[in-house]
Amino acid sequence: MVIGVLQLDLRLHAPQNLKEKRGMVRKLLSRCRNHFPVSCAEVGHQDLWQRTLLGFAVVSSAEQVVAPILERLEAEVLSGGELDLIGAEVEYIHY
């Protein structure tokens, strides 16, 4: 079993307050859940209205299955144009 973990540190362009940020993050996470077999959540920067740290996890039998999903997921998140990537970190946990 392999668990793939992706963390994306993002700068958001549009929100002017925390309420707008939460709406954007909620829509983004919902879109990711609908298009990919992932679990996801905002895992950091909850108190900053122009930054977010998103965490994604995928479980499968092989790293060759997990890696392309995480790559496509990152591309999907960045394709919206409403944000900039500050940093990305991928980790694979083998059991």
Side-chain angles (χ1 to χ4, degrees):
M1 176 172 70
V2 177
I3 303 167
V5 178
L6 171 65
Q7 284 191 23
L8 296 176
D9 191 356
L10 304 169
R11 181 181 176 279
L12 306 172
H13 294 242
Q16 299 299 312
N17 55 49
L18 283 173
K19 185 176 181 179
E20 289 179 13
K21 174 206 173 180
R22 289 185 187 114
M24 284 184 65
V25 169
R26 187 173 28 251
K27 286 180 185 178
L28 179 60
L29 293 176
S30 178
R31 189 173 80 217
C32 291
R33 285 186 196 106
N34 289 335
H35 291 117
F36 299 95
V38 298
S39 294
C40 52
E42 183 178 21
V43 295
H45 304 308
Q46 282 99 344
D47 56 340
L48 301 175
W49 54 273
Q50 288 190 315
R51 294 248 337 248
T52 187
L53 181 63
L54 303 180
F56 303 89
V58 179
V59 178
S60 186
S61 59
E63 189 173 319
Q64 294 82 1
V65 176
V66 173
I69 293 171
L70 295 178
E71 290 171 10
R72 288 193 323 262
L73 177 64
E74 182 177 345
E76 172 73 21
V77 169
L78 298 177
S79 71
E82 304 170 337
L83 45 86
D84 293 326
L85 179 66
I86 294 172
E89 185 177 327
V90 177
E91 182 179 355
Y92 299 101
I93 303 165
H94 297 266
Y95 280 101

